[in-house]
Amino acid sequence: MAAIAASAASPSWADRLYGFADERGVFNFSDAASDSRHRLLLNLDTPRRSTAPPARIPPRPPERFTPLIHDVARQNRLDPELVKAVAFVESRFDHQARSPKGALGLMQLMPATAARFGVTDPLDPRQNLAGGARYLRELIDRFDSLPLALAAYNAGEGAVERYGNAIPPFAETVTYVPMVLNHYSAFRRQAPSDDALPGVPRRASSCC
């Protein structure tokens, strides 16, 4: 893993997401075409070749959140555009967002997750972004796959493991993963060339 972290030319998660619906209507996702039924859904390297519908250009986060996003991205070796994509899909950049399930803030942290990462006020933007970024970094390291990390962020690590380290066939999760990846791709396309700060790779794959 240390060798991967040191080399931008050795990504540790796939840029492609494949999937198919089986005879029971269950969705199956993978970052490799391991089944003849797999079809390419998303390709971050060449988005125009993806069969997934292109994401609309998402709005940039409120200006006051941008330096916070860059800070937590740098501290956790993440692409800031990835953090933006997760925050946008989770809360539409609403730092006071509350879900019916109890998730709070920009990164929609559940109380147990907030406590796990030392977040005492989930509605504080800095604390919330820091906790969400630390959780995302931990998931990327754990699963060595961005799609699986996002699935775990949405459904929990246990759910991903119960389904054999695959994206769980939950309606919300199978929608969530391509949505975040699509918005991540859109944020990367609209980011100015100098948007990445020194020491922060533009690609999460080069920092895992």
Side-chain angles (χ1 to χ4, degrees), residues 75-94:
Q75 291 163 11
N76 292 279
R77 296 175 294 117
L78 296 170
D79 186 340
E81 310 308 326
L82 175 61
V83 178
K84 289 178 188 176
V86 173
F88 176 76
V89 172
E90 289 287 349
S91 68
R92 297 301 191 267
F93 301 128
D94 179 1

Side-chain angles (χ1 to χ4, degrees), residues 37 40 115 162:
R37 294 171 291 178
L40 181 65
R162 284 197 301 274

Side-chain angles (χ1 to χ4, degrees), residues 4-166:
I4 293 175
S7 173
S10 300
S12 63
W13 53 269
D15 291 321
R16 297 174 178 81
L17 181 67
Y18 298 86
F20 70 89
D22 63 20
E23 61 277 0
R24 297 172 297 169
V26 175
F27 286 96
N28 295 267
F29 290 90
S30 174
D31 53 14
S34 56
D35 188 291
S36 61
R37 294 171 291 178
H38 274 137
R39 295 293 180 268
L40 181 65
L41 299 178
L42 187 69
N43 185 340
L44 290 179
D45 276 340
T46 54
R48 289 173 296 179
R49 295 176 58 188
S50 170
T51 58
R56 294 180 179 178
I57 299 299
R60 292 181 178 275
E63 187 173 345
R64 68 185 185 279
F65 296 151
T66 300
L68 302 181
I69 290 171
H70 279 281
D71 284 347
V72 301
R74 177 166 46 202
Q75 291 163 11
N76 292 279
R77 296 175 294 117
L78 296 170
D79 186 340
E81 310 308 326
L82 175 61
V83 178
K84 289 178 188 176
V86 173
F88 176 76
V89 172
E90 289 287 349
S91 68
R92 297 301 191 267
F93 301 128
D94 179 1
H95 71 284
Q96 295 183 324
R98 299 170 183 262
S99 81
K101 295 180 180 179
L104 297 169
L106 288 165
M107 302 288 277
Q108 287 291 277
L109 300 180
M110 294 296 289
T113 304
R116 175 176 165 186
F117 292 100
V119 177
T120 58
D121 181 3
L123 297 181
D124 176 77
R126 180 178 292 277
Q127 287 195 46
N128 191 282
L129 286 166
R134 286 183 61 193
Y135 187 33
L136 188 57
R137 173 76 264 165
E138 181 177 288
L139 294 172
I140 291 173
D141 289 342
R142 179 171 181 171
F143 292 104
D144 203 28
S145 162
L146 182 58
L148 292 185
L150 294 174
Y153 194 98
N154 177 260
E157 304 102 301
V160 172
E161 291 173 344
R162 284 197 301 274
Y163 283 90
N165 279 359

